């Protein structure tokens, strides 16, 4: 699989179809797949988290999760054609699990959010086995969380602790966790639970989800500058690293 470098982070040239095609192969061989989002936030902040950069480098599928990544690739002669959004990829994994009676474990989010998300998932994907769920504020130790997941031995593990916690958790534990397909999914459980709304279709169609999210949450208003800053920084990085 070909990849490109964006601010020192590899991003794979792949589509949803490429990833989905790989899923049965990984499940059949029990080889671990790590589908990890690369987005502008991660690219600009990751120098503070070298262990996250190493983890992304060692991951099997580094997805171009952000229109900023696609834009920078285009501007620098790269070949990444479309955004692979973490949330949509997770939905496709869930559909696959449902159609093939596979199991999934969910780790992260607030307890009430997790509970509502599980109820919705059970309804939406009745043939998928929910192997277990642990909220992201649990009093369990890391070892205990890993033990619970390993007892359930799920096909899919979704980790929703936000950046960089989820990547750090995966970096520390992926080798000892008994699951096959791993994904870091940020605030996805909040959306699945209905507690947070996804951007209206207009914003999704025009690649402006980032703008909607910044505008609709005062705590995120500063992030409005994240995309232009990211584009400028990564073009600069590319010029110096030709
Ligand atoms: N979260 C969690 N444990 C924590 C911190 C965050 O489970 O210690 C969850 C949070 O409830 C949310 C998700 O991680 O469901 C993403 O959090 P946030 O929106 O803060 O992350 P960001 O979007 O900034 O990466």
């Amino acid at each position: 699989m070909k990849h490109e470098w964006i601010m020192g982070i590899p991003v794979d040239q792949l589509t949803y179809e490429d990833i989905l095609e790989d899923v049965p192969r990984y499940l059949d061989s029990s080889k671990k797949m790590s589908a990890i989002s690369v987005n502008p936030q991660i690219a600009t902040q990751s120098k503070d988290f070298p262990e996250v950069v190493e983890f992304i480098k060692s991951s099997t599928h580094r997805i171009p999760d952000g229109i900023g990544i696609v834009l920078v690739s285009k501007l620098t002669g790269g070949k990444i054609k479309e955004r692979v959004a973490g949330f949509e990829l997770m939905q496709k994994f869930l559909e696959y699990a449902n159609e093939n009676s596979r199991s999934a474990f969910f780790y992260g989010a607030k307890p009430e959010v997790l509970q509502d998300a599980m109820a919705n998932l059970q309804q939406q994907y009745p043939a998928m086995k929910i192997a277990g769920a642990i909220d992201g504020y649990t009093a369990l130790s890391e070892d205990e969380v890993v033990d619970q997941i390993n007892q359930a031995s799920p096909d899919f593990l979704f980790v929703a602790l936000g950046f960089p916690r989820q990547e750090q958790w995966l970096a520390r534990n992926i080798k000892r966790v008994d699951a096959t397909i791993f994904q870091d999914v940020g605030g996805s459980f909040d959306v699945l639970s209905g507690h947070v709304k996804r951007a209206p279709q207009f914003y999704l169609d025009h690649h402006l989800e980032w703008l909607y999210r910044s505008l609709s949450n005062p705590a995120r208003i500063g992030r409005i500058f994240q995309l232009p800053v990211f584009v400028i920084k990564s073009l600069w990085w590319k010029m110096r690293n030709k």
Side-chain angles (χ1 to χ4, degrees):
M1 197 180 336
K2 292 231 170 73
H3 62 265
E4 296 169 20
W5 291 90
I6 294 189
M7 293 183 77
I9 303 202
V11 193
D12 291 312
Q13 296 166 345
L14 41 69
T15 61
Y16 293 109
E17 291 73 36
D18 298 328
I19 305 169
L20 266 291
E21 237 176 65
D22 284 346
V23 166
R25 206 155 46 79
Y26 278 81
L27 286 172
D28 291 345
S29 66
S30 295
K31 185 174 179 286
K32 290 178 180 178
M33 171 192 285
S34 38
I36 304 302
S37 283
V38 181
N39 59 37
Q41 186 195 8
I42 292 174
T44 40
Q45 294 180 22
S46 63
K47 62 178 181 317
D48 299 329
F49 307 103
E51 73 284 21
V52 171
V53 177
E54 284 314 304
F55 173 65
I56 295 175
K57 283 183 184 166
S58 70
S59 293
T60 59
H61 295 68
R62 292 74 57 101
I63 68 171
D65 184 2
I67 197 60
I69 302 284
V70 180
L71 186 63
V72 167
S73 173
K74 281 212 170 94
L75 291 173
T76 56
K79 291 206 175 66
I80 293 170
K81 282 194 260 350
E82 61 169 27
R83 175 182 179 204
V84 175
F87 186 73
E88 253 97 62
L89 180 63
M90 179 186 191
Q91 283 181 313
K92 290 182 195 290
F93 282 159
L94 294 170
E95 274 158 32
Y96 180 95
N98 192 46
E99 280 161 17
N100 296 278
S101 305
R102 292 289 185 167
S103 62
F105 199 106
F106 301 82
Y107 175 38
K110 295 193 180 125
E112 64 277 16
V113 167
L114 187 64
Q115 205 176 357
D116 291 346
M118 291 310 106
N120 288 344
L121 284 177
Q122 193 74 86
Q123 257 196 345
Q124 232 181 318
Y125 305 100
M128 173 182 77
K129 183 171 172 248
I130 297 182
I134 300 175
D135 71 75
Y137 303 86
T138 179
L140 295 176
S141 70
E142 192 153 303
D143 284 350
E144 287 167 335
V145 169
V146 171
D147 277 351
Q148 270 201 27
I149 300 171
N150 285 350
Q151 272 168 33
S153 178
D155 296 310
F156 291 85
L157 173 65
F158 299 102
V159 184
L161 302 171
F163 170 82
R165 278 182 220 93
Q166 57 199 10
E167 291 80 8
Q168 290 169 326
W169 188 91
L170 283 164
R172 286 194 303 271
N173 296 299
I174 190 163
K175 287 211 174 86
R176 62 176 180 147
V177 170
D178 182 13
T180 306
I181 314 269
F182 296 78
Q183 190 188 0
D184 59 336
V185 293
S188 295
F189 298 175
D190 300 69
V191 179
L192 288 175
S193 70
H195 288 240
V196 169
K197 294 266 166 297
R198 261 206 110 182
Q201 199 59 41
F202 170 85
Y203 289 87
L204 296 178
D205 289 347
H206 293 83
H207 306 298
L208 292 172
E209 193 179 4
W210 61 276
L211 179 64
Y212 175 81
R213 278 160 65 180
S214 301
L215 293 175
S216 60
N217 182 348
R220 285 171 173 255
I221 199 81
R223 293 193 189 183
I224 214 161
F225 302 108
Q226 217 164 26
L227 186 66
V229 168
F230 162 72
V231 172
I232 292 165
K233 276 191 174 169
S234 41
L235 292 179
W236 180 239
W237 185 88
K238 205 78 184 182
M239 271 166 61
R240 286 182 308 148
N241 290 273
K242 271 233 177 300

